[in-house]
Amino acid sequence: MAEQSDERARYRAPVGTHDVLPPESAQWTALVTAFAQRADRYGFDLVVTPIFEHVDVFLRVGESTDVVSKEMYDFEDKGGRRIALRPEGTAPVVRAFVQHRPRVPWKVWYVAPHFRYERPQKGRYRQHWQVGAEVLGVDDPDVDVEVIALAHGFYRDLGLGRVTLKLNSMGDEQSRPGYEARLRGYLLDHAGQLGDEFRARVEANPLRLLDSKRTEWQDVIERAPQLTEHLSDESRREFETVQQRLDALGIPYELDPRLVRGFDYYTGTTFEFQSDALDAAQNAIGGGGRYGKLAEEMGGPPTTGIGFGIGIERALIACAAEGVAPSAPPAADVFVVNGLGAEGRAEVAVLVIELREDGLRAERAYGDRSVKAQWRAADQAGAAYAVMLGQREAARSAVAVKDLRTGEQVEVPRDAIAGWLRQRRDTEGGITP
Ligand code: HAM
């Protein structure tokens, strides 16, 4: 029995992964295109890094984090190298920066699959995709604001309305160690009543405990000292500037001193976009922040960076929950129907490609289909026009064009058909002038 189900599972996508098929894939195209256009307006260029890296690249994001210690897809390759599939997008971008030393500010965006061995559920996958952006080499709160505005506007482009921006600061090297010690002390004072696991987690990383959802710990966590009350003067000034700029731009946000994102590299501004239309456990549709030390830790010059990643699947689930679709799949402009049988085959093959090269979304039926079946396929393709190759028209070096919405039909010279269709489509005027 087990063998039988293994046999069936072998030819299914692995647990926690999924295929993206049409028509849903049209939403992916629309989403990535919208992001690419927006990133371009903000001065970001595309960066493409390998899907796997030496595992050390990711150890820099924090060995005690879940993503690295529990969820990483790491393995030894045939040459004995320790390799990991990309669990997050920032470390590879910083690695590429350190390796190539581009001129700063370096502003890049990406679209890439990410791998985390998580317990799969809706909105949480073992392979998920992110669009993201990073700016390296400028320590200026105006950049923090540009990056947040880029993401904020993107959700608006998608038509999402129920998105909350949570904002926090993780402080700098002056603020952090003192605060961590104070927090650890406070939490350990209360560890007695909360058990071994609590104590172990405080020892490992007291900050990470702040966003724990464990109900029995909430009382203690809620009364814990807050980092934003222990910021250095410089950190506080920067954080205030970010808030003032967001106010000036009319970008609403909520301060959340317990927002501790899942990586150790964050310093300064951190943020998360949460969808109120999704379940709390998977409501983060994007997040990011500033990281001060990552480049240096990889052997580069001291370089600060800031960026974010947006989960494509989650953003689309939020769109569905809010009833907004990034785009309907585009219908064909024209469907070519061969009414000449075997004689017309070469002409269909050539005409469809010519039309496409001329900028039209042209479709056809393949194989030996009856004329009736071809008309049916034209309807199914949602085409606006059909071009029919018929005996009478062929004798005059012409084709018949039918407007499939009105049923009107006219004859157009074969040589003029592409221009004729394009003009109709662009003016949306239908067949009758
Ligand atoms: P992250 O918060 O771990 O940040 O992931 C970014 C987004 O990816 C999340 O907000 C969520 O929408 C989506 N996501 C994460 N894990 C999954 C999953 N298992 N299934 C589906 N979607 C998921 C980062 O990865 C940082 N590199 C972001 C960043 C960039 N920080 C600075 N620059």
Side-chain angles (χ1 to χ4, degrees), residues 194-225:
L194 294 177
D196 289 347
E197 193 194 337
F198 183 85
R199 181 180 291 277
R201 289 183 53 180
V202 176
E203 305 278 5
N205 188 335
L207 277 173
R208 180 116 338 102
L209 219 93
L210 290 180
D211 69 350
S212 162
K213 307 271 185 304
R214 287 278 281 270
T215 38
E216 66 274 28
W217 298 350
Q218 293 310 306
D219 263 3
V220 168
I221 291 173
E222 262 159 33
R223 282 179 285 120

Short mmCIF file of all heavy atoms in Angstrom, two decimals, residues 194-225:
data_model
loop_
_atom_site.label_atom_id
_atom_site.label_comp_id
_atom_site.label_asym_id
_atom_site.label_seq_id
_atom_site.Cartn_x
_atom_site.Cartn_y
_atom_site.Cartn_z
N LEU A 194 8.77 29.93 33.81
CA LEU A 194 8.39 29.66 32.41
C LEU A 194 9.10 28.45 31.79
O LEU A 194 8.83 28.11 30.65
CB LEU A 194 8.62 30.90 31.56
CG LEU A 194 7.69 32.07 31.94
CD1 LEU A 194 7.99 33.29 31.11
CD2 LEU A 194 6.22 31.69 31.81
N GLY A 195 9.98 27.82 32.51
CA GLY A 195 10.48 26.53 32.04
C GLY A 195 11.76 26.59 31.23
O GLY A 195 12.27 27.66 30.88
N ASP A 196 12.25 25.36 30.90
CA ASP A 196 13.57 25.20 30.27
C ASP A 196 13.63 25.75 28.85
O ASP A 196 14.64 26.33 28.44
CB ASP A 196 13.94 23.71 30.23
CG ASP A 196 14.26 23.21 31.63
OD1 ASP A 196 14.42 24.06 32.54
OD2 ASP A 196 14.34 21.97 31.81
N GLU A 197 12.55 25.55 28.11
CA GLU A 197 12.59 26.00 26.71
C GLU A 197 12.72 27.52 26.65
O GLU A 197 13.49 28.07 25.87
CB GLU A 197 11.34 25.55 25.95
CG GLU A 197 11.52 25.74 24.45
CD GLU A 197 10.25 25.63 23.66
OE1 GLU A 197 9.29 25.00 24.15
OE2 GLU A 197 10.21 26.20 22.55
N PHE A 198 11.96 28.17 27.54
CA PHE A 198 12.03 29.63 27.60
C PHE A 198 13.46 30.06 27.89
O PHE A 198 14.05 30.89 27.20
CB PHE A 198 11.07 30.13 28.68
CG PHE A 198 10.99 31.63 28.78
CD1 PHE A 198 10.15 32.35 27.95
CD2 PHE A 198 11.76 32.32 29.71
CE1 PHE A 198 10.08 33.74 28.04
CE2 PHE A 198 11.70 33.70 29.81
CZ PHE A 198 10.85 34.41 28.97
N ARG A 199 14.03 29.42 28.91
CA ARG A 199 15.40 29.78 29.32
C ARG A 199 16.38 29.56 28.16
O ARG A 199 17.20 30.43 27.86
CB ARG A 199 15.81 28.94 30.53
CG ARG A 199 17.21 29.25 31.04
CD ARG A 199 17.57 28.39 32.24
NE ARG A 199 16.78 28.73 33.42
CZ ARG A 199 17.09 29.73 34.25
NH1 ARG A 199 18.16 30.47 34.03
NH2 ARG A 199 16.35 29.98 35.30
N ALA A 200 16.25 28.42 27.48
CA ALA A 200 17.18 28.11 26.39
C ALA A 200 17.06 29.16 25.28
O ALA A 200 18.07 29.58 24.70
CB ALA A 200 16.87 26.72 25.83
N ARG A 201 15.85 29.58 25.02
CA ARG A 201 15.67 30.56 23.94
C ARG A 201 16.18 31.93 24.34
O ARG A 201 16.69 32.68 23.50
CB ARG A 201 14.22 30.59 23.50
CG ARG A 201 13.90 29.28 22.75
CD ARG A 201 12.52 29.19 22.20
NE ARG A 201 12.16 30.34 21.38
CZ ARG A 201 10.98 30.47 20.80
NH1 ARG A 201 10.07 29.53 20.95
NH2 ARG A 201 10.70 31.53 20.08
N VAL A 202 16.07 32.26 25.59
CA VAL A 202 16.64 33.53 26.06
C VAL A 202 18.15 33.49 25.91
O VAL A 202 18.77 34.45 25.42
CB VAL A 202 16.27 33.80 27.54
CG1 VAL A 202 16.96 35.07 28.04
CG2 VAL A 202 14.76 33.92 27.71
N GLU A 203 18.73 32.36 26.29
CA GLU A 203 20.19 32.23 26.19
C GLU A 203 20.63 32.36 24.73
O GLU A 203 21.62 33.01 24.42
CB GLU A 203 20.69 30.87 26.72
CG GLU A 203 20.26 30.53 28.15
CD GLU A 203 21.14 31.18 29.21
OE1 GLU A 203 22.03 31.96 28.84
OE2 GLU A 203 20.91 30.91 30.42
N ALA A 204 19.89 31.72 23.82
CA ALA A 204 20.29 31.70 22.41
C ALA A 204 20.15 33.09 21.79
O ALA A 204 21.06 33.57 21.11
CB ALA A 204 19.45 30.69 21.63
N ASN A 205 19.02 33.73 21.98
CA ASN A 205 18.80 35.05 21.39
C ASN A 205 17.56 35.69 22.01
O ASN A 205 16.44 35.42 21.60
CB ASN A 205 18.63 34.91 19.87
CG ASN A 205 18.61 36.28 19.19
OD1 ASN A 205 18.27 37.28 19.81
ND2 ASN A 205 18.98 36.30 17.92
N PRO A 206 17.78 36.55 22.99
CA PRO A 206 16.64 37.13 23.71
C PRO A 206 15.74 37.97 22.81
O PRO A 206 14.53 38.00 23.00
CB PRO A 206 17.30 38.01 24.79
CG PRO A 206 18.69 38.24 24.33
CD PRO A 206 19.08 37.07 23.50
N LEU A 207 16.34 38.61 21.79
CA LEU A 207 15.54 39.47 20.90
C LEU A 207 14.46 38.68 20.18
O LEU A 207 13.32 39.11 20.03
CB LEU A 207 16.43 40.11 19.85
CG LEU A 207 17.18 41.37 20.26
CD1 LEU A 207 18.15 41.76 19.18
CD2 LEU A 207 16.19 42.49 20.53
N ARG A 208 14.86 37.48 19.73
CA ARG A 208 13.96 36.68 18.92
C ARG A 208 12.71 36.27 19.71
O ARG A 208 11.66 35.99 19.15
CB ARG A 208 14.70 35.46 18.37
CG ARG A 208 13.89 34.57 17.52
CD ARG A 208 14.31 34.45 16.06
NE ARG A 208 15.10 35.50 15.48
CZ ARG A 208 16.41 35.43 15.27
NH1 ARG A 208 17.06 34.37 15.61
NH2 ARG A 208 17.04 36.43 14.73
N LEU A 209 12.85 36.26 21.04
CA LEU A 209 11.73 35.86 21.87
C LEU A 209 10.59 36.88 21.84
O LEU A 209 9.44 36.57 22.10
CB LEU A 209 12.22 35.71 23.31
CG LEU A 209 11.59 34.54 24.02
CD1 LEU A 209 12.50 33.34 23.87
CD2 LEU A 209 11.40 34.86 25.48
N LEU A 210 10.97 38.13 21.48
CA LEU A 210 9.98 39.21 21.55
C LEU A 210 8.78 38.98 20.64
O LEU A 210 7.68 39.41 20.95
CB LEU A 210 10.63 40.56 21.21
CG LEU A 210 11.61 41.11 22.23
CD1 LEU A 210 12.17 42.43 21.78
CD2 LEU A 210 10.93 41.27 23.60
N ASP A 211 8.99 38.34 19.48
CA ASP A 211 7.83 38.14 18.61
C ASP A 211 7.26 36.73 18.73
O ASP A 211 6.52 36.27 17.87
CB ASP A 211 8.11 38.54 17.16
CG ASP A 211 9.10 37.61 16.47
OD1 ASP A 211 9.70 36.77 17.17
OD2 ASP A 211 9.28 37.74 15.25
N SER A 212 7.59 36.04 19.83
CA SER A 212 7.00 34.72 20.05
C SER A 212 5.49 34.85 20.26
O SER A 212 5.01 35.82 20.83
CB SER A 212 7.63 34.08 21.29
OG SER A 212 6.80 33.03 21.74
N LYS A 213 4.78 33.85 19.73
CA LYS A 213 3.31 33.90 19.86
C LYS A 213 2.82 33.02 21.03
O LYS A 213 1.63 32.88 21.25
CB LYS A 213 2.64 33.40 18.55
CG LYS A 213 3.11 34.11 17.28
CD LYS A 213 2.25 35.34 17.01
CE LYS A 213 2.56 36.04 15.69
NZ LYS A 213 3.94 36.46 15.47
N ARG A 214 3.76 32.38 21.76
CA ARG A 214 3.37 31.46 22.84
C ARG A 214 2.55 32.20 23.91
O ARG A 214 3.05 33.13 24.53
CB ARG A 214 4.63 30.86 23.49
CG ARG A 214 5.30 29.83 22.61
CD ARG A 214 4.63 28.47 22.75
NE ARG A 214 5.08 27.83 23.96
CZ ARG A 214 6.15 27.02 24.05
NH1 ARG A 214 6.84 26.74 22.97
NH2 ARG A 214 6.50 26.50 25.19
N THR A 215 1.32 31.76 24.10
CA THR A 215 0.41 32.52 24.98
C THR A 215 0.93 32.60 26.42
O THR A 215 0.83 33.64 27.05
CB THR A 215 -1.01 31.91 24.98
OG1 THR A 215 -0.88 30.49 24.93
CG2 THR A 215 -1.82 32.38 23.79
N GLU A 216 1.52 31.47 26.92
CA GLU A 216 1.92 31.49 28.33
C GLU A 216 3.11 32.41 28.59
O GLU A 216 3.45 32.68 29.73
CB GLU A 216 2.19 30.06 28.83
CG GLU A 216 3.37 29.34 28.21
CD GLU A 216 3.04 28.62 26.90
OE1 GLU A 216 2.12 29.05 26.18
OE2 GLU A 216 3.72 27.62 26.59
N TRP A 217 3.75 32.89 27.52
CA TRP A 217 4.90 33.78 27.71
C TRP A 217 4.52 35.25 27.54
O TRP A 217 5.34 36.15 27.78
CB TRP A 217 6.01 33.44 26.69
CG TRP A 217 6.57 32.06 26.84
CD1 TRP A 217 6.33 31.17 27.86
CD2 TRP A 217 7.46 31.38 25.93
NE1 TRP A 217 7.00 30.00 27.65
CE2 TRP A 217 7.71 30.09 26.46
CE3 TRP A 217 8.07 31.73 24.74
CZ2 TRP A 217 8.53 29.17 25.83
CZ3 TRP A 217 8.89 30.81 24.11
CH2 TRP A 217 9.12 29.54 24.66
N GLN A 218 3.31 35.50 27.06
CA GLN A 218 2.96 36.86 26.63
C GLN A 218 3.07 37.90 27.75
O GLN A 218 3.53 39.01 27.54
CB GLN A 218 1.55 36.91 26.01
CG GLN A 218 1.45 36.16 24.69
CD GLN A 218 2.55 36.55 23.70
OE1 GLN A 218 2.73 37.72 23.41
NE2 GLN A 218 3.31 35.57 23.22
N ASP A 219 2.62 37.54 28.95
CA ASP A 219 2.64 38.49 30.06
C ASP A 219 4.03 39.07 30.28
O ASP A 219 4.22 40.28 30.38
CB ASP A 219 2.23 37.77 31.35
CG ASP A 219 0.76 37.99 31.63
OD1 ASP A 219 0.11 38.65 30.77
OD2 ASP A 219 0.27 37.53 32.68
N VAL A 220 5.00 38.13 30.32
CA VAL A 220 6.38 38.53 30.57
C VAL A 220 6.91 39.34 29.39
O VAL A 220 7.55 40.39 29.56
CB VAL A 220 7.25 37.27 30.81
CG1 VAL A 220 8.73 37.60 30.77
CG2 VAL A 220 6.87 36.64 32.15
N ILE A 221 6.61 38.86 28.17
CA ILE A 221 7.14 39.54 26.98
C ILE A 221 6.57 40.96 26.88
O ILE A 221 7.29 41.91 26.57
CB ILE A 221 6.82 38.72 25.70
CG1 ILE A 221 7.63 37.42 25.71
CG2 ILE A 221 7.13 39.53 24.44
CD1 ILE A 221 7.28 36.45 24.60
N GLU A 222 5.30 41.09 27.18
CA GLU A 222 4.68 42.41 27.04
C GLU A 222 5.29 43.46 27.97
O GLU A 222 5.32 44.63 27.65
CB GLU A 222 3.16 42.32 27.28
CG GLU A 222 2.40 42.24 25.96
CD GLU A 222 1.03 41.64 26.12
OE1 GLU A 222 0.41 41.86 27.19
OE2 GLU A 222 0.58 40.93 25.19
N ARG A 223 5.78 43.01 29.10
CA ARG A 223 6.35 43.97 30.04
C ARG A 223 7.87 44.15 29.88
O ARG A 223 8.50 44.85 30.65
CB ARG A 223 5.98 43.57 31.48
CG ARG A 223 4.53 43.97 31.80
CD ARG A 223 4.11 43.58 33.19
NE ARG A 223 3.87 42.13 33.28
CZ ARG A 223 4.52 41.29 34.08
NH1 ARG A 223 5.45 41.74 34.88
NH2 ARG A 223 4.21 40.00 34.09
N ALA A 224 8.42 43.49 28.86
CA ALA A 224 9.88 43.54 28.66
C ALA A 224 10.31 44.95 28.24
O ALA A 224 9.55 45.68 27.62
CB ALA A 224 10.28 42.54 27.59
N PRO A 225 11.54 45.34 28.59
CA PRO A 225 12.04 46.63 28.10
C PRO A 225 12.07 46.65 26.57
O PRO A 225 12.27 45.60 25.95
CB PRO A 225 13.46 46.70 28.67
CG PRO A 225 13.79 45.35 29.17
CD PRO A 225 12.52 44.61 29.40
#
